[in-house]
Structure formats: C-alpha cells, structure tokens
Amino acid sequence: MLVQRSVRWFVLSAVMLMLLTIPVAAQKTETPQGTVSVCKEIDDDWKCVGESSEWPANTNFNVLFVNSVPVGVDFIGIVFHKQGTDGKDVAFINEYQQQMDPKYRKYATVGDNFKLPAGTYSVYIISWGKRESLVHNGNFAEYFAKTTLKVK
C-alpha cells in the first residue's frame, strides 16, 4: 500500500512538472511578434503621432508597443541599451516595468517619460520575467519587439 502511494505520488509529481514546463504560445518570444515605436504622443486610436527612428537629444518621448497576439504576461519591460558602432548593445541605460493585462496586445506610455542623450539605442519590449537582473548585457535573444533609436 505504501509503495503504491509512493508510485502515485511520483507519477503525479512528474506529470505536474511536465505541465509546468510546457511553454504557453503567447509567452514564447523567440520570434518577435510586435513593434515598438518612439512617438511624440499616442492618440486615442492607438496611433503614434510624431513617430520617428531619430530623436533630438534630451527631448521627451513616448513609446507605443503593439503585439500581433495577446502578450500572455502580467508585466512587460521597456529596456534601453546603448549600441556600439557595430550595432550591438554595449551599455545598459535603464529599464521600466509596466503592468499589462495578459490578454491585451497594446501598451503606450503617456506623459513624456523618456529622454536620452545623443547616441544610438536599442529599445526592447520584453517579458519582465526574462529581464537581466544582475548583469545587463543586452543583445536579448527573446523579446516581443525591438527598435533602434538614433538620438542626435
């Protein structure tokens, strides 16, 4: 009787572990699913007003993220890395955690929260659970969206 319980417990534990490790399609971000845009503002119809991939130095901007499918996570991150001359991330600048309903596909900042000094930057939208918490190397392999922003 004790052996049967042990076997049942082992099988149940193994099945639960397998179910926990199956990725949810909306969270799988190996292939980018969305776009991130830098804008002067975002209108009521989720349109990027004053969108540009080049921005004046130390001038406020907003970010619009639009994904093709629901994000499937409670928190996204907006992460900024400075790029080197080879286009690779060389310096961590900052990251911002944003709460988002897992069934939503869009997120916009308001209030001109961001501004950067001159340089070229990678702007990533990531699942917050995949952020780099100890060492910020950048060059993310998994993200929802990425853009390059040139600040002059």
Side-chain angles (χ1 to χ4, degrees):
M1 184 76 148
L2 184 60
V3 172
Q4 286 179 331
R5 285 187 187 164
S6 295
V7 169
R8 281 188 208 152
W9 179 250
F10 175 77
V11 171
L12 180 61
S13 298
V15 168
M16 288 175 55
L17 181 63
M18 287 185 337
L19 290 174
L20 289 173
T21 59
I22 296 173
V24 176
Q27 293 178 354
K28 196 170 182 181
T29 57
E30 287 91 6
T31 303
Q33 304 166 359
T35 59
V36 57
S37 305
V38 172
C39 322
K40 174 76 177 135
E41 60 187 57
I42 292 94
D43 71 13
D44 292 338
D45 293 323
W46 294 94
K47 302 288 185 243
C48 193
V49 177
E51 178 179 2
S52 182
S53 61
E54 293 187 2
W55 207 258
N58 301 308
T59 302
N60 294 342
F61 62 89
N62 289 292
V63 171
L64 173 65
F65 165 54
V66 179
N67 209 37
S68 60
V69 297
V71 291
V73 297
D74 290 319
F75 294 96
I76 61 169
I78 303 171
V79 184
F80 295 90
H81 280 271
K82 190 165 190 177
Q83 291 183 0
T85 55
D86 61 356
K88 295 194 183 279
D89 298 340
V90 295
F92 171 74
I93 302 301
N94 214 337
E95 63 187 3
Y96 301 88
Q97 178 187 33
Q98 307 294 322
Q99 186 172 12
M100 186 171 175
D101 191 302
K103 62 185 174 225
Y104 291 165
R105 299 181 314 103
K106 298 177 183 178
Y107 186 88
T109 63
V110 293
D112 299 326
N113 293 319
F114 308 116
K115 61 182 172 181
L116 294 166
T120 302
Y121 299 89
S122 298
V123 182
Y124 295 95
I125 305 295
I126 64 167
S127 169
W128 189 247
K130 299 198 182 232
R131 76 187 184 285
E132 299 170 325
S133 57
L134 296 176
V135 178
H136 298 279
N137 295 320
N139 301 301
F140 288 97
E142 295 183 40
Y143 49 86
F144 290 117
K146 177 187 175 187
T147 194
T148 297
L149 177 63
K150 293 182 188 226
V151 179
K152 297 181 178 190

